Every structure is written in C-alpha cells, then in structure tokens.
Amino acid sequence: MTGLADVLFIFLGFAGGIAVGGGFAAFITVLDIVPRLAQLTRTYAYVSVYEWSVISGALFFTGIDLLNIGFHLPDWCISVLGALMGAFVGLLAAALTEVVNVIPILAKRLRVQEQLTFLLIAMVLGKMAGSLLQWLVF
C-alpha cells in the first residue's frame, strides 16, 4: 500500500505544480508584464531576455526550494535581494491593478476622485508598513 500512496503523492504533487505553474504563466501573460516592461523601458530588443529571465528564475528557485538548499549570505546581500523581490511584487501588483482598474473604481465608489493622490500614497504606505511589520516583528 505504501508504494501506491507514494505514486499518488507524486501524481498529486506534479499535478499541483502544473496547475500553479500554468496559473503563474497565465497571470504573467494576461497582465502583459514582459511587453509592458519592455515598452516602459524602451528595450523592445530584449523581450526574449526578459522572458528567459522569468523562466530561468522560476525554474532555478523552484529547484532550490525542492532540494531544500540554503544560502548563508551577508546582510547587505539579503537587503538587495529583498528590495528586488519587493520591486517584482510591486510591479506585479501594479500591473494587476492597472488591468482590473481597481484604483479608479475604488475612488469612484468611495467618492474620493479629488483625493486620488492621497489614496495612492496611503495604499503604498500601508503596504510598506505591513511588509516592515512582517519582516521585523513576525
């Protein structure tokens, strides 16, 4: 029975990985993150480099996670990596917000179109405060 359970767990793990990977790829594709980044930075010639960077990063860090490999890096290096990861998450959140038009709809529903700048600043400061609390306290 143990062999059958192992095969079932392998199948479920693989199926879950395919589902999550497919969802991530669809999410990145629907949001047009790579073409939008190339458009904003005026680096259209490097679109394939951006795409391969996303693919390579996902595969590399998935392998690191699966093999349970740890790195002992100096604090400054961890700070730089944290800033880069935060920038990625921020870009992803901004792209999602842009696609779904969350901010204009929220401003209209709350009747705060005139204070839209302050709403954006409050959202950014709230995100920063939440991240700092998570990193420093919890």
Side-chain angles (χ1 to χ4, degrees), residues 1-18:
M1 189 70 171
T2 303
L4 183 60
D6 290 342
V7 170
L8 180 65
F9 284 135
I10 290 170
F11 175 75
L12 289 175
F14 187 71
I18 293 292

mmCIF file of all heavy atoms in Angstrom, residues 1-18:
data_model
loop_
_atom_site.group_PDB
_atom_site.id
_atom_site.type_symbol
_atom_site.label_atom_id
_atom_site.label_comp_id
_atom_site.label_asym_id
_atom_site.label_seq_id
_atom_site.Cartn_x
_atom_site.Cartn_y
_atom_site.Cartn_z
ATOM 1 N N MET A 1 0.821 -1.199 0.000
ATOM 2 C CA MET A 1 0.000 0.000 0.000
ATOM 3 C C MET A 1 0.859 1.255 0.000
ATOM 4 O O MET A 1 0.455 2.271 -0.526
ATOM 5 C CB MET A 1 -0.923 -0.042 1.221
ATOM 6 C CG MET A 1 -1.956 1.019 1.236
ATOM 7 S SD MET A 1 -3.179 0.717 -0.052
ATOM 8 C CE MET A 1 -4.356 1.919 0.356
ATOM 9 N N THR A 2 2.049 1.198 0.578
ATOM 10 C CA THR A 2 2.922 2.373 0.647
ATOM 11 C C THR A 2 3.357 2.793 -0.748
ATOM 12 O O THR A 2 3.418 3.983 -1.048
ATOM 13 C CB THR A 2 4.161 2.082 1.518
ATOM 14 O OG1 THR A 2 3.717 1.682 2.805
ATOM 15 C CG2 THR A 2 5.021 3.316 1.644
ATOM 16 N N GLY A 3 3.640 1.854 -1.634
ATOM 17 C CA GLY A 3 4.051 2.180 -2.996
ATOM 18 C C GLY A 3 2.951 2.920 -3.744
ATOM 19 O O GLY A 3 3.208 3.883 -4.472
ATOM 20 N N LEU A 4 1.711 2.480 -3.564
ATOM 21 C CA LEU A 4 0.584 3.139 -4.213
ATOM 22 C C LEU A 4 0.391 4.556 -3.661
ATOM 23 O O LEU A 4 0.118 5.494 -4.418
ATOM 24 C CB LEU A 4 -0.688 2.317 -4.024
ATOM 25 C CG LEU A 4 -1.952 2.844 -4.698
ATOM 26 C CD1 LEU A 4 -1.745 2.918 -6.216
ATOM 27 C CD2 LEU A 4 -3.130 1.979 -4.358
ATOM 28 N N ALA A 5 0.553 4.713 -2.356
ATOM 29 C CA ALA A 5 0.422 6.035 -1.743
ATOM 30 C C ALA A 5 1.522 6.969 -2.260
ATOM 31 O O ALA A 5 1.265 8.152 -2.523
ATOM 32 C CB ALA A 5 0.488 5.928 -0.226
ATOM 33 N N ASP A 6 2.750 6.448 -2.405
ATOM 34 C CA ASP A 6 3.841 7.269 -2.929
ATOM 35 C C ASP A 6 3.561 7.722 -4.360
ATOM 36 O O ASP A 6 3.777 8.887 -4.703
ATOM 37 C CB ASP A 6 5.163 6.493 -2.887
ATOM 38 C CG ASP A 6 5.669 6.296 -1.470
ATOM 39 O OD1 ASP A 6 5.210 7.023 -0.560
ATOM 40 O OD2 ASP A 6 6.539 5.413 -1.281
ATOM 41 N N VAL A 7 3.062 6.825 -5.179
ATOM 42 C CA VAL A 7 2.723 7.170 -6.562
ATOM 43 C C VAL A 7 1.611 8.222 -6.576
ATOM 44 O O VAL A 7 1.652 9.185 -7.364
ATOM 45 C CB VAL A 7 2.312 5.913 -7.357
ATOM 46 C CG1 VAL A 7 1.726 6.283 -8.709
ATOM 47 C CG2 VAL A 7 3.498 4.984 -7.526
ATOM 48 N N LEU A 8 0.631 8.065 -5.706
ATOM 49 C CA LEU A 8 -0.460 9.036 -5.623
ATOM 50 C C LEU A 8 0.066 10.410 -5.205
ATOM 51 O O LEU A 8 -0.308 11.433 -5.797
ATOM 52 C CB LEU A 8 -1.528 8.550 -4.644
ATOM 53 C CG LEU A 8 -2.734 9.475 -4.462
ATOM 54 C CD1 LEU A 8 -3.514 9.576 -5.776
ATOM 55 C CD2 LEU A 8 -3.619 8.992 -3.351
ATOM 56 N N PHE A 9 0.959 10.456 -4.206
ATOM 57 C CA PHE A 9 1.524 11.736 -3.764
ATOM 58 C C PHE A 9 2.369 12.376 -4.861
ATOM 59 O O PHE A 9 2.339 13.590 -5.046
ATOM 60 C CB PHE A 9 2.347 11.558 -2.492
ATOM 61 C CG PHE A 9 1.513 11.397 -1.256
ATOM 62 C CD1 PHE A 9 1.810 10.425 -0.326
ATOM 63 C CD2 PHE A 9 0.416 12.226 -1.021
ATOM 64 C CE1 PHE A 9 1.052 10.276 0.814
ATOM 65 C CE2 PHE A 9 -0.354 12.083 0.111
ATOM 66 C CZ PHE A 9 -0.034 11.105 1.037
ATOM 67 N N ILE A 10 3.128 11.570 -5.582
ATOM 68 C CA ILE A 10 3.923 12.103 -6.698
ATOM 69 C C ILE A 10 3.004 12.682 -7.763
ATOM 70 O O ILE A 10 3.228 13.792 -8.264
ATOM 71 C CB ILE A 10 4.846 11.010 -7.277
ATOM 72 C CG1 ILE A 10 5.955 10.681 -6.288
ATOM 73 C CG2 ILE A 10 5.424 11.441 -8.615
ATOM 74 C CD1 ILE A 10 6.780 9.472 -6.650
ATOM 75 N N PHE A 11 1.948 11.950 -8.086
ATOM 76 C CA PHE A 11 0.992 12.440 -9.089
ATOM 77 C C PHE A 11 0.333 13.730 -8.636
ATOM 78 O O PHE A 11 0.222 14.686 -9.403
ATOM 79 C CB PHE A 11 -0.068 11.367 -9.373
ATOM 80 C CG PHE A 11 -1.141 11.847 -10.297
ATOM 81 C CD1 PHE A 11 -0.898 11.976 -11.657
ATOM 82 C CD2 PHE A 11 -2.392 12.191 -9.800
ATOM 83 C CE1 PHE A 11 -1.886 12.428 -12.516
ATOM 84 C CE2 PHE A 11 -3.384 12.647 -10.651
ATOM 85 C CZ PHE A 11 -3.127 12.769 -12.012
ATOM 86 N N LEU A 12 -0.122 13.778 -7.387
ATOM 87 C CA LEU A 12 -0.777 14.980 -6.872
ATOM 88 C C LEU A 12 0.186 16.163 -6.816
ATOM 89 O O LEU A 12 -0.195 17.300 -7.140
ATOM 90 C CB LEU A 12 -1.380 14.711 -5.497
ATOM 91 C CG LEU A 12 -2.607 13.812 -5.462
ATOM 92 C CD1 LEU A 12 -3.029 13.528 -4.031
ATOM 93 C CD2 LEU A 12 -3.737 14.433 -6.243
ATOM 94 N N GLY A 13 1.422 15.909 -6.404
ATOM 95 C CA GLY A 13 2.419 16.983 -6.373
ATOM 96 C C GLY A 13 2.716 17.520 -7.761
ATOM 97 O O GLY A 13 2.803 18.739 -7.972
ATOM 98 N N PHE A 14 2.859 16.613 -8.721
ATOM 99 C CA PHE A 14 3.124 17.029 -10.100
ATOM 100 C C PHE A 14 1.932 17.794 -10.669
ATOM 101 O O PHE A 14 2.085 18.836 -11.313
ATOM 102 C CB PHE A 14 3.438 15.803 -10.958
ATOM 103 C CG PHE A 14 3.874 16.139 -12.351
ATOM 104 C CD1 PHE A 14 5.120 16.708 -12.590
ATOM 105 C CD2 PHE A 14 3.026 15.899 -13.423
ATOM 106 C CE1 PHE A 14 5.516 17.030 -13.873
ATOM 107 C CE2 PHE A 14 3.416 16.213 -14.713
ATOM 108 C CZ PHE A 14 4.666 16.781 -14.937
ATOM 109 N N ALA A 15 0.725 17.285 -10.419
ATOM 110 C CA ALA A 15 -0.486 17.953 -10.913
ATOM 111 C C ALA A 15 -0.630 19.341 -10.289
ATOM 112 O O ALA A 15 -0.976 20.307 -10.974
ATOM 113 C CB ALA A 15 -1.718 17.105 -10.618
ATOM 114 N N GLY A 16 -0.356 19.442 -8.997
ATOM 115 C CA GLY A 16 -0.412 20.742 -8.331
ATOM 116 C C GLY A 16 0.617 21.709 -8.893
ATOM 117 O O GLY A 16 0.337 22.891 -9.091
ATOM 118 N N GLY A 17 1.816 21.199 -9.166
ATOM 119 C CA GLY A 17 2.854 22.038 -9.745
ATOM 120 C C GLY A 17 2.496 22.528 -11.127
ATOM 121 O O GLY A 17 2.721 23.693 -11.478
ATOM 122 N N ILE A 18 1.894 21.645 -11.918
ATOM 123 C CA ILE A 18 1.447 22.041 -13.260
ATOM 124 C C ILE A 18 0.359 23.106 -13.148
ATOM 125 O O ILE A 18 0.357 24.098 -13.884
ATOM 126 C CB ILE A 18 0.930 20.820 -14.047
ATOM 127 C CG1 ILE A 18 2.071 19.853 -14.347
ATOM 128 C CG2 ILE A 18 0.222 21.245 -15.323
ATOM 129 C CD1 ILE A 18 3.093 20.369 -15.323
#
